[in-house]
Amino acid sequence: MWTFSTVVAFLLCAGLVYYWYTTSKSNKAMVTRLNSSISNTRKSVNSLSGEYSDDKAEQARADADKIRSGMMTGQQADAFVSGLRPTWSVVARTETPTDEFIKRRYQIARGSAPVSAWPEVLSLFNRMKEIDSLAVDSVDIQTVGDSRKREFSRISLALTVYVKKPE
C-alpha cells in the first residue's frame, strides 16, 4: 500500500512538474508574441501622420454640424428644382432617407442651345456652388457643329441634394 501511494504521489508530482514546465514555456512564447505585437502596434502608431489631433477631429465635427445646419428644407429643395424647370428638364431619380437627412437625386438636362447660353450655364454652376448641401455627381456637355457654328446638343447634370429631415 505504501509503495502504491509512493508511486501515485511520484507520478502526481511528475505530472504537476511537467504541466508547470509546459505551461510556463507556452506562457513565455505567448508573452513574447504579445510583446512583439505591442511593439509593432507602437511602431504603427508612431508612424501615423502627426497631423491628427483631437482639435482637428473637433473641427471636422464642427464643419459637419455647420453643413447639417445649412441643409435645405424640403420646401427649399422643391423651390430650387422648380426654379430650374423653365429651361431645364428635371427628373427626380431617387429619394433615400438616412438617420440624419434625406438624399434626393435628380437628373437635369437642357436640350439644344446656342453657345451664347453658356453664361446661363455658368450662373447655374455658380448658384449651385453656393449651396453646401448640394453635390454635382456628373456633368455631361455634348456639342455639335464646327467651331463657327457650334451649338450645345445636350447639357446634363446629375445632382444629389441633402435635405433636412422634418422634425
Side-chain angles (χ1 to χ4, degrees):
M1 182 78 175
W2 289 102
T3 308
F4 179 73
S5 297
T6 305
V7 169
V8 168
F10 176 75
L11 290 175
L12 185 61
C13 287
L16 287 174
V17 168
Y18 176 76
Y19 175 77
W20 177 80
Y21 175 74
T22 56
T23 56
S24 67
K25 189 176 177 182
S26 68
N27 284 345
K28 285 180 186 176
M30 180 64 77
V31 167
T32 303
R33 273 185 272 147
L34 289 174
N35 284 336
S36 173
S37 177
I38 289 170
S39 174
N40 290 338
T41 304
R42 281 193 181 126
K43 286 178 188 174
S44 296
V45 167
N46 290 335
S47 70
L48 291 175
S49 172
E51 296 177 17
Y52 174 80
S53 68
D54 290 337
D55 294 336
K56 289 194 179 193
E58 189 60 38
Q59 181 63 39
R61 282 187 208 97
D63 291 345
D65 289 341
K66 179 182 173 190
I67 290 172
R68 279 188 207 101
S69 68
M71 280 184 179
M72 287 193 264
T73 62
Q75 293 82 11
Q76 290 170 328
D78 293 339
F80 172 76
V81 168
S82 66
L84 297 174
R85 285 213 163 95
T87 54
W88 295 85
S89 65
V90 179
V91 177
R93 294 290 181 200
T94 61
E95 184 170 309
T96 310
T98 66
D99 292 340
E100 298 178 30
F101 52 83
I102 299 170
K103 186 177 3 178
R104 293 182 181 177
R105 294 185 188 270
Y106 295 97
Q107 183 75 33
I108 66 170
R110 181 175 179 156
S112 180
V115 173
S116 62
W118 184 246
E120 179 190 333
V121 174
L122 282 179
S123 71
L124 175 64
F125 284 142
N126 287 329
R127 188 171 153 205
M128 290 188 297
K129 182 172 66 172
E130 300 299 319
I131 302 172
D132 288 334
S133 61
L134 183 138
V136 177
D137 299 325
S138 68
V139 176
D140 183 29
I141 300 174
Q142 299 172 1
T143 60
V144 293
D146 63 9
S147 62
R148 288 169 281 166
K149 295 182 182 179
R150 182 153 299 175
E151 289 187 346
F152 295 115
S153 61
R154 182 167 175 82
I155 302 170
S156 132
L157 295 106
L159 305 176
T160 302
V161 180
Y162 298 91
V163 179
K164 284 183 191 177
K165 275 193 149 182
E167 297 177 17

